[in-house]
Each structure stands twice: as structure tokens, then as C-alpha cells.
Amino acid sequence: MRLIIQLLGLALVIFGIYMLGQNIIFTTNPHPYFWRGIAADGSILALIAGLVMLVYLPRSQKNLGWIPLVIGIVLVFLSSNAVLTATTLWQFVVSFASITVGYQMLTTGRILF
């Protein structure tokens, strides 16, 4: 039964990420300034590194994962290669709830209300 709940949690997390990801568009337009391409590549690498650090580092070192995440977010805005389209409040609430409940089901095997 626990495996079924964890699989359902994984499906909810993927669904929530998919719903939020529909409104983010990454472009690869060439820019006249050399730092914009570097910032775009660096933002993706920093975001991935930060998420991996938050998930896989021991509990005492998880705070180190926030540093690359913040750097990645800043680089996204510097590169202006991420286009955020409008989303409805309903879509945001459903996707965020799906991610949080799915993650809780995935890690604990139950829903704690």
C-alpha cells in the first residue's frame, strides 16, 4: 500500500511541475552582449546544482543548496531568456497543492493534515 501511495505522490509532483512549466518559456535568441548567453547557461546549471544539493546533501549541509538556487534565479533575470507567461490563480493553486501534497506522499507515505 505504501508503494502505491508513493507512486501516486510522484505522479502528483510531476503533474504539478508540468502545470507550472507550461507557463515558462526558455528562449535561445542570440544577444549582442556576451554575458547574456553565459547568464542563461549559468542559470540552468545553478538551478540544477541547487536542487541536487537540497535533495542529496546531509541535513546539516542542506542550507548550502540555497546559494546556487538564488544565483540561478538572479541569472535568469539577468539573461532575460526566461519568459514567464500569465497564469491563473486557480492553475497556480492546483499545481502548487499538487506538488506539496505529492512530495509529502512521496517522502512520508501518507498525507499529514
Side-chain angles (χ1 to χ4, degrees), residues 43-106:
S43 65
I44 293 172
L45 293 175
L47 290 171
I48 291 171
L51 287 173
V52 168
M53 289 171 73
L54 282 175
V55 172
Y56 291 110
L57 283 179
R59 183 177 289 268
S60 63
Q61 298 175 349
K62 284 196 186 286
N63 289 336
L64 294 175
W66 290 104
I67 296 169
L69 278 176
V70 170
I71 291 171
I73 291 170
V74 169
L75 288 176
V76 164
F77 289 111
L78 285 177
S79 68
S80 66
N81 282 342
V83 179
L84 303 174
T85 59
T87 182
T88 63
L89 181 62
W90 174 249
Q91 184 180 7
F92 178 76
V93 168
V94 168
S95 61
F96 191 71
S98 174
I99 291 171
T100 54
V101 171
Y103 181 74
Q104 190 176 44
M105 289 172 67
L106 186 62

Side-chain angles (χ1 to χ4, degrees), residues 2 4-10 12-13 98-112:
R2 184 176 171 101
I4 294 172
I5 291 174
Q6 287 178 334
L7 289 175
L8 182 61
L10 179 64
L12 283 172
V13 169
S98 174
I99 291 171
T100 54
V101 171
Y103 181 74
Q104 190 176 44
M105 289 172 67
L106 186 62
T107 57
T108 64
R110 57 187 176 176
I111 301 174
L112 303 173

